[in-house]
Amino acid sequence: MSKTIVNKILITLGFLLAYRVLAYVPVPGVDTSVIKTFFDNNASNALGLFNMFSGNAVERLSIISLGIMPYITASIIMELLAATFPNLGKMKKERDGMQKYMQIIRYTTVVITLIQAIGVSIGLKSLGTGANGAIMIDMNVFIAISAFSMLCGTMLLMWIGEQITQRGIGNGISLIIFSGIVSGIPSAIAGTFNLVNTNQISWLVLLFIMAIIIITVGCIIFVELGERRIPISYSRKVVMQNQDKRIMNYIPIKMNLSGVIPPIFASAILMFPSTILQSSSNTIIMQIADYLNPNGYLYNVLMFLFVIFFAYFYASIVFNPKDISENLKRQGGFIPGIRPGEGTANFLTEVANRLTLWGALYLALIATLPWVLVKASGVPFYFGGTAVLIVVQVAVDTMRKIEAQIYMNKYKTLSAVGL
């Protein structure tokens, strides 16, 4: 491994270490013990999911309590707007326009962060037994301090993510979420062995858990690496002009085009109302909240259906057959047996829809598998399917980028010294 790749890996690890240090820096003026008790009692709802994605930074109310989620939310909003408004989509494709596009995302992140930070600060007043709840200083002063602290923390995370992407290895935002989830693995392992030592579960059940985890990870890797390669032919003129260059002779279409976005969207839609409803004392509302409990049948059936819906929805945004067919026609390429232009676009749409069907079913099964295991055998599962999916996807993607860097350095060495 070359010195350049080692330096990039060390830079990535250094920024991730800084992220984990920030998770232990609390917002001034709050009683963290009260907040930790509250999150221990709400580990199975949306708050528990959000806390897990932040690497337990929320239960400590650190300056990065909001995590990188405001930036992701702003990015998703801009993606939807770019798919809806042609002018915004055109801006995204241009070099100068892309800088403006990213600047809009940053400003949107600031607005979302401030709104969420003020909402969290006001909500802390209802925790604890004192007049101001978990807040130990003047309410107005605390709102100003916490909003500023959380805004600085989120902007720091956004900067760390961009630095990792530019100077390190892999996608910075994905690695931040990855490290937040992975940071909870040691405590989960310790909790599992504690259950074995206290005879709450047997060694046979522990082996069953390990087997299920290995099989699940293997299935995720198999599907994430799976793709349909559509052969491409080029005219003789194009081949002669590029005879010294490698021409891509196929179009790769992944089985899972939408990534981990569908489970995240579905979880947010289902868990947010159930968490809000739990604060009510009305009998009917409490009954509705019970139906939407993550351990209930209705919740997981809706989760399964919503994941499928969002898989199709997001795949239609990230994969544009019309643009691919136009670029292919402009470059002098064509799919054998398929008419260029509209015929190519229709063929690619049909192939993408078939792959998305299987990809959506795969995502829905992964998202609901932990609940099925718990219901069927009472086996404890500390991480949801979405968390496992994110961890495996990011790990696979990072390894592929490291391999690409290694091969690139080999080619540079061969071109410099020759054979």
Side-chain angles (χ1 to χ4, degrees), residues 19-35:
Y19 158 65
R20 292 308 305 153
V21 170
L22 289 173
Y24 290 88
V25 180
V27 173
V30 68
D31 189 350
T32 55
S33 61
V34 174
I35 299 174

Side-chain angles (χ1 to χ4, degrees), residues 118-197:
I118 293 173
V120 169
S121 302
I122 296 173
L124 291 174
K125 188 175 181 179
S126 61
L127 301 181
T129 56
N132 287 334
I135 302 171
M136 298 185 296
I137 59 176
D138 181 72
M139 185 67 185
N140 295 326
V141 175
F142 176 75
I143 291 176
I145 292 175
S146 63
F148 179 76
S149 301
M150 292 183 188
L151 176 61
C152 291
T154 299
M155 300 309 289
L156 269 174
L157 283 188
M158 186 173 68
W159 179 79
I160 287 174
E162 292 178 352
Q163 292 300 309
I164 291 175
T165 303
Q166 295 173 5
R167 302 169 57 187
I169 293 286
N171 183 281
I173 303 301
S174 299
L175 285 171
I176 287 175
I177 299 176
F178 169 86
S179 60
I181 297 173
V182 169
S183 65
I185 290 180
S187 61
I189 295 175
T192 302
F193 279 103
N194 183 52
L195 292 176
V196 174
N197 293 332

